[in-house]
Amino acid sequence: MLVLLNGLGALGMKISRLKDSGDFRVQLLYRLLKPLAEHAHGYLKLLFGHQTHTIRIGFTTNTLEFRTDANEELIKFVRERVATAS
């Protein structure tokens, strides 16, 4: 596997939405690559009002991307939380 991954600058992995896929963090490939990996982004699910919203967080770019429809009220709510986070 090391020969295959030698010189690879980026590797994208996505978790299957199948219920029987289990927790990706315990899968062999993830455990092998984890010491060498830098996470570029992650997703945050947020219950706001009566809807669940998904926000993509860019770790290397310091960005937030709303993956679901967002109104000004939600954006203000998230902005206030991010500004006060340390």
Side-chain angles (χ1 to χ4, degrees), residues 9-66:
L11 174 67
M13 292 186 277
K14 192 169 188 177
I15 299 169
S16 171
R17 294 193 184 271
L18 298 175
K19 294 204 182 264
D20 61 345
S21 63
D23 187 350
F24 185 66
R25 293 172 293 183
V26 298
Q27 300 296 325
L28 180 61
L29 180 62
Y30 181 80
R31 288 186 297 155
L32 288 172
L33 295 176
K34 186 177 178 184
L36 305 172
E38 286 182 30
H39 294 277
H41 64 269
Y43 290 92
L44 174 68
K45 286 194 175 183
L46 167 70
L47 181 62
F48 185 77
H50 298 290
Q51 291 185 322
T52 301
H53 297 276
T54 304
I55 302 170
R56 180 177 171 178
I57 304 167
F59 300 128
T60 57
T61 58
N62 294 325
T63 57
L64 295 175
E65 177 186 352
F66 290 87

